[in-house]
Amino acid sequence: MSRSPSLPDRPRLDLDPEMSPAERLEALREHFLKLEQVNDELTDQLDAAESRRDDLRDQVDQLERENETLKTSSLYIATAEELTDEGVVVKQHGNNQEVLTEVSPQLREELEAGDRVAINDSFSVQTLLEAETDARAQAMQVNSSPEVTYDDIGGLEEQTREVREAVEEPLINAEQFAEVGIDPPSGVLLHGPPGTGKTMLAKAVANETDATFIKMAGSELVQKFIGEGARLVRDLFELASEHEPAIIFIDEIDAIAAKRTESKTSGDAEVQRTMMQLLSEMDGFEDRGEIRIIAATNRFDMLDRAILRPGRFDRLIEVPNPDREGRERILEIHTQDMSLADDIGLGAIADQTDDFSGAELASLATEAGMFAIRDERTTVTTEDFEDALEKITDTDGEETGPIAFY
Ligand SMILES: Nc1ncnc2c1ncn2[C@@H]1O[C@H](COP(=O)(O)OP(=O)(O)OP(=O)(O)O)[C@@H](O)[C@H]1O
């Protein structure tokens, strides 16, 4: 930085009392000239200082603009994979590109391998993200006491019995298993079409055993938390052991445990790593205490058989669409708080709703209620159900004629 120029010496005026008036006048004139000179120098210095101040102001404006752009421009998310003497190896999420990049000494001190970071266009690390809590909170739903009970589930008596035996018993009766000398099933896999109550079953068993219900969706792991799947699976089991007794529910497990395909894209490798992590967590599962694991899939055919080996998901429970009796029970459950007209026959509706899932029956009931509201009625009639059924099958793209419940 340039230093400020030194101020000119202040001229001195020496007036001798012995001086004649002419000499005094001359001395004053000389002094005046010197003062003028100093004044010129000071004016020059002032001009220079003012122009420097303007330059500095310009620089400040420029830096402020750059700062604003830096703050608003998008940064990319990456994982710091390795800290080396040459820099940090980061892997950008989304394209899995790995680069050796720089990081400020201050950030470097806080950084650990595996941390999530934000990088700019030139890949240099800008910020350390609170990966664990952030992604954990987003990827996992933790519910300390889900409200679903077995009574809320229509049909599925056999499935409920099996889930209770495989999940509930080992949690509440661990000694019995120890006495008999058998290991309880490791993991339960519920498979069947969408909306048949798989999640409800898992929640109900958590409720019944006072276990914390921790849900993670396989599809989100591979689509939303790219690059973090394996780590989140590890976190999932860690979180469960912090909340024992706990039930881990992995929905759409097919997203991370599909059969290996021929293609070797980086996306596949990432999914593969996530699955390996899941398998290794399950293999080391026995010592984990009061944690049970339930997974669900609509695509059983797609699953990699490796996850079905003994000690992994070794209890398979099929959860199909409800039969006629199941449908009637589900309709009863979903209409129990509705004001229904006296003549409504839920049995007749069950007859007309072949192939409906539990979720579709639930929305049928809601839709019928909507028809009543549209008509400004508080009681739901058979006709509302007929209209609702027509509407639902219509949006499903099926051919519909007039529907009547007798
Ligand atoms: N057997 C059932 N009894 C009562 N309600 C049901 C049943 N099955 C589904 N439902 C209704 O459908 C909703 C969705 O069910 P759930 O989430 O348990 O299905 P799922 O099998 O886990 O579906 P997906 O495979 O799409 O995740 C439930 O909240 C409930 O309202």
Side-chain angles (χ1 to χ4, degrees):
M1 199 190 268
S2 61
R3 300 183 59 194
S4 325
S6 52
L7 292 176
D9 291 334
R10 192 171 174 189
R12 281 171 53 94
L13 174 63
D14 289 323
L15 288 181
D16 193 336
E18 305 290 309
M19 281 176 162
S20 66
E23 284 169 336
R24 288 170 75 95
L25 188 62
E26 185 53 29
L28 280 170
R29 208 174 262 137
E30 269 174 30
H31 184 65
F32 177 71
L33 284 174
K34 280 187 198 148
L35 281 178
E36 259 187 348
Q37 215 175 330
V38 168
N39 183 39
D40 287 347
E41 276 177 47
L42 284 174
T43 311
D44 284 350
Q45 281 187 16
L46 184 63
D47 286 349
E50 272 174 354
S51 111
R52 175 146 179 75
R53 185 198 57 195
D54 289 346
D55 282 351
L56 286 171
R57 269 202 186 131
D58 284 349
Q59 275 184 36
V60 169
D61 284 352
Q62 168 91 7
L63 286 171
E64 271 176 355
R65 274 197 302 274
E66 277 175 23
N67 191 20
E68 254 343 278
T69 337
L70 267 180
K71 272 199 261 172
T72 51
S73 68
S74 308
L75 298 173
Y76 302 98
I77 308 297
T79 300
E81 294 212 307
E82 210 186 321
L83 311 181
T84 72
D85 289 340
E86 289 82 43
V88 181
V89 179
V90 295
K91 183 175 191 177
Q92 195 181 341
H93 294 186
N95 61 8
N96 283 341
Q97 193 173 353
E98 286 181 307
V99 278
L100 178 66
T101 185
E102 296 167 356
V103 56
S104 74
Q106 200 187 352
L107 265 183
R108 169 73 194 236
E109 268 179 31
E110 299 170 35
L111 200 60
E112 283 177 26
D115 280 341
R116 242 161 51 115
V117 291
I119 52 174
N120 64 12
D121 280 335
S122 20
F123 297 101
S124 86
V125 178
Q126 304 293 302
T127 340
L128 179 60
L129 299 174
E130 303 239 343
E132 210 138 351
T133 43
D134 174 29
R136 252 191 185 196
Q138 285 181 47
M140 297 169 208
Q141 264 179 41
V142 182
N143 187 342
S144 52
S145 54
E147 304 214 315
V148 181
T149 67
Y150 296 128
D151 286 342
D152 297 326
I153 304 175
L156 307 183
E157 286 81 15
E158 182 55 25
Q159 289 80 356
T160 307
R161 192 191 59 72
E162 283 193 63
V163 170
R164 295 186 73 165
E165 186 182 282
V167 182
E168 189 178 313
E169 279 298 311
L171 276 178
I172 57 175
N173 248 337
E175 325 74 59
Q176 203 183 347
F177 281 82
E179 274 169 30
V180 178
I182 53 162
D183 288 330
S186 276
V188 171
L189 179 74
L190 304 174
H191 62 99
T196 44
K198 297 182 287 297
T199 310
M200 287 185 94
L201 262 175
K203 280 188 176 166
V205 76
N207 177 359
E208 208 66 29
T209 50
D210 289 328
T212 303
F213 179 77
I214 306 175
K215 177 180 167 182
M216 182 180 257
S219 57
E220 288 198 346
L221 277 194
V222 295
Q223 286 158 16
K224 199 160 145 196
F225 302 101
I226 304 153
E228 291 185 273
R231 179 187 164 111
L232 282 169
V233 167
R234 206 176 56 220
D235 288 352
L236 176 68
F237 282 79
E238 231 173 71
L239 192 70
S241 60
E242 285 162 21
H243 288 87
E244 274 181 40
I247 288 182
I248 292 179
F249 179 65
I250 306 180
D251 203 6
E252 300 168 86
I253 193 164
D254 44 280
I256 46 172
K259 278 181 200 140
R260 276 157 241 217
T261 52
E262 293 304 308
S263 67
K264 289 275 175 294
T265 61
S266 54
D268 282 351
E270 152 74 11
V271 172
Q272 199 64 23
R273 262 196 302 280
T274 307
M275 176 167 112
M276 297 320 277
Q277 186 66 40
L278 176 64
L279 295 185
S280 94
E281 294 290 344
M282 290 196 78
D283 291 347
F285 194 53
E286 280 159 37
D287 331 315
R288 285 186 183 267
E290 297 183 309
I291 301 172
R292 313 303 310 159
I293 168 159
I294 304 178
T297 180
N298 306 327
R299 299 297 316 270
F300 184 66
D301 54 309
M302 272 179 59
L303 291 184
D304 188 325
R305 301 289 127 171
I307 72 155
L308 305 180
R309 284 198 206 125
R312 293 174 180 170
F313 291 100
D314 47 13
R315 183 63 74 98
L316 307 181
I317 301 175
E318 188 182 355
V319 186
N321 275 333
D323 57 12
R324 192 208 162 277
E325 213 179 311
R327 292 198 296 276
E328 187 169 349
R329 176 72 197 122
I330 294 173
L331 284 166
E332 270 168 27
I333 292 169
H334 286 282
T335 55
Q336 65 195 1
D337 294 328
M338 289 167 68
S339 331
L340 297 183
D342 292 340
D343 63 342
I344 275 198
L346 295 180
I349 303 172
D351 283 336
Q352 294 275 328
T353 45
D354 233 358
D355 291 336
F356 267 51
S357 67
E360 285 167 328
L361 291 166
S363 52
L364 178 72
T366 310
E367 201 55 58
M370 294 301 294
F371 274 104
I373 288 175
R374 251 170 251 153
D375 234 13
E376 296 182 357
R377 277 179 286 109
T378 49
T379 305
V380 184
T381 63
T382 302
E383 208 187 358
D384 293 326
F385 273 92
E386 287 166 359
D387 290 342
L389 188 60
E390 193 168 353
K391 184 173 174 204
I392 286 180
T393 43
D394 217 15
T395 44
D396 282 355
E398 285 174 24
E399 269 194 35
T400 53
I403 292 160
F405 300 130
Y406 302 106

